[in-house]
Amino acid sequence: MATKVLIVDYSWSGNTAKLATALQRVTGATQVELTVPAGTFPQDMYATSDVANQQLASGDLPELTSKLPDLAEFDTILVGGPVWSGKVATPVRSLLRQLATYTGTLAPFYTDAGTPDDYEADFASLAPQANVVPGLGLTAGDLATADQPLTTWWDSFK
């Protein structure tokens, strides 16, 4: 039986979107971009960090405006997002809330400025029932040559 795979990604600056597009080329999976209402986050990364920290403190995560397929239909979901202060970005957290009872494989991929901190542990803690495999993090500078690391990562658990 063939595995049904979905790529879902949120990108604030465009870097994660580039990584997700490269991953789609490598896997051939369906890709869905996570979106939030316009104006949810400012254009400045420090101001965005402040908004995200307020969302984390209040537990009031941003609404997702993307039309998502029935996530339960997929055996594997590749979830992409930026690292914000060493944590999972709040829009990705919103998605993971929706996946609280998901029992398939979740594979995190992420972009960072070279300091992912405890991103993968944070991600795994937000998906306690899923089979969370080791993730792949790249910096913006790595994106031009991302196909090989993506292929190696994908081959490690597919």
Side-chain angles (χ1 to χ4, degrees), residues 26-124:
V26 167
T27 65
T30 301
Q31 181 181 353
V32 176
E33 178 186 1
L34 288 179
T35 55
V36 295
T40 299
F41 298 108
Q43 295 297 313
D44 177 79
M45 86 173 170
Y46 298 107
T48 294
S49 178
D50 291 343
V51 169
N53 285 331
Q54 291 169 356
Q55 291 170 340
L56 289 173
S58 70
D60 188 21
L61 299 178
E63 171 192 355
L64 298 177
T65 56
S66 311
K67 173 113 173 90
L68 296 172
D70 180 358
L71 300 172
E73 291 183 9
F74 295 89
D75 305 301
T76 301
I77 303 175
L78 312 175
V79 181
V83 176
W84 285 355
S85 302
K87 303 286 185 195
V88 174
T90 55
V92 177
R93 287 175 177 274
S94 292
L95 172 69
L96 293 174
R97 271 191 183 168
Q98 291 181 31
L99 291 168
T101 60
Y102 180 76
T103 58
T105 298
L106 290 179
F109 65 95
Y110 50 93
T111 54
D112 63 77
T115 53
D117 294 334
D118 61 349
Y119 182 92
E120 290 191 41
D122 187 38
F123 185 99

Side-chain angles (χ1 to χ4, degrees), residues 12-26:
W12 178 81
S13 68
N15 289 329
T16 304
K18 290 175 187 171
L19 185 56
T21 297
L23 185 56
Q24 196 283 326
R25 276 194 315 268
V26 167

